[in-house]
Amino acid sequence: MAEITKTYSIDLTRESQRHYKATNGKGASIEFGQGEGLMSPVEVLLAALVGCTAVDVDVVTSRRSEPTEFTVHAEGDRVNEEGASRLSDVRVGFTVHFPDDKAGQQAQGLVDNLIRISHEKDCTVSRTVEHETNVTFENLS
């Protein structure tokens, strides 16, 4: 049986029509929705997915060397299954480079393994997306 080790929470408020703000318990927030200058909720999901592994890779490699380039690209195909939509076949690509010195080469040599470990074990977001997860909704009004 799985052991609960931490509970995460987010509070969402409506800023205006199709514009929302999600705030965590520490007061950090992101705005999203539909319209000019806003990420959609699906794009926020992709950002969380790549952000989780990016943090895992960055924390370990940057102890050795500062990257000269660190970008991650994610995309997924929206599919319709009997009138219900979801993402399918999410693809993630990392472009990470370090200086051509001993510390940079050491950091570069860790990247592939860190991506694998994050994907297989450490990234809560990708593991949640890939495994069946119970989600319940209720009206608290």
Side-chain angles (χ1 to χ4, degrees):
M1 177 175 235
E3 172 190 356
I4 296 173
T5 59
K6 184 174 184 176
T7 300
Y8 292 88
S9 67
I10 291 289
D11 291 310
L12 183 131
T13 55
R14 181 183 184 269
E15 297 293 297
S16 62
Q17 186 179 35
R18 295 183 290 185
H19 182 172
Y20 308 93
K21 182 178 181 179
T23 306
N24 69 9
K26 299 174 192 171
S29 64
I30 59 168
E31 295 185 27
F32 63 96
Q34 293 178 324
E36 179 97 18
L38 294 173
M39 283 193 197
S40 73
V42 173
E43 291 164 332
V44 173
L45 174 67
L46 289 174
L49 182 79
V50 299
C52 187
T53 296
V55 168
D56 289 342
V57 172
D58 189 35
V59 164
V60 176
T61 58
S62 64
R63 287 182 194 144
R64 288 153 180 84
S65 180
E66 270 299 301
T68 56
E69 180 179 10
F70 195 117
T71 61
V72 188
H73 176 79
E75 59 186 36
D77 303 320
R78 182 177 170 167
V79 297
N80 184 316
E81 293 177 329
E82 301 174 17
S85 63
R86 67 175 180 84
L87 286 183
S88 176
D89 297 324
V90 174
R91 298 165 300 279
V92 178
F94 279 75
T95 304
V96 182
H97 297 288
F98 295 89
D100 190 18
D101 58 19
K102 184 176 179 179
Q105 291 167 1
Q106 183 184 33
Q108 191 74 53
L110 297 172
V111 173
D112 288 341
N113 194 42
L114 290 169
I115 292 170
R116 181 189 59 75
I117 291 169
S118 179
H119 181 227
E120 292 176 359
K121 182 180 175 195
D122 294 337
C123 179
T124 304
V125 178
S126 67
R127 291 185 46 74
T128 300
V129 170
E130 290 183 327
H131 291 80
E132 187 174 323
T133 302
N134 297 320
V135 179
T136 57
F137 290 88
E138 62 183 307
N139 184 347
L140 300 175
S141 300

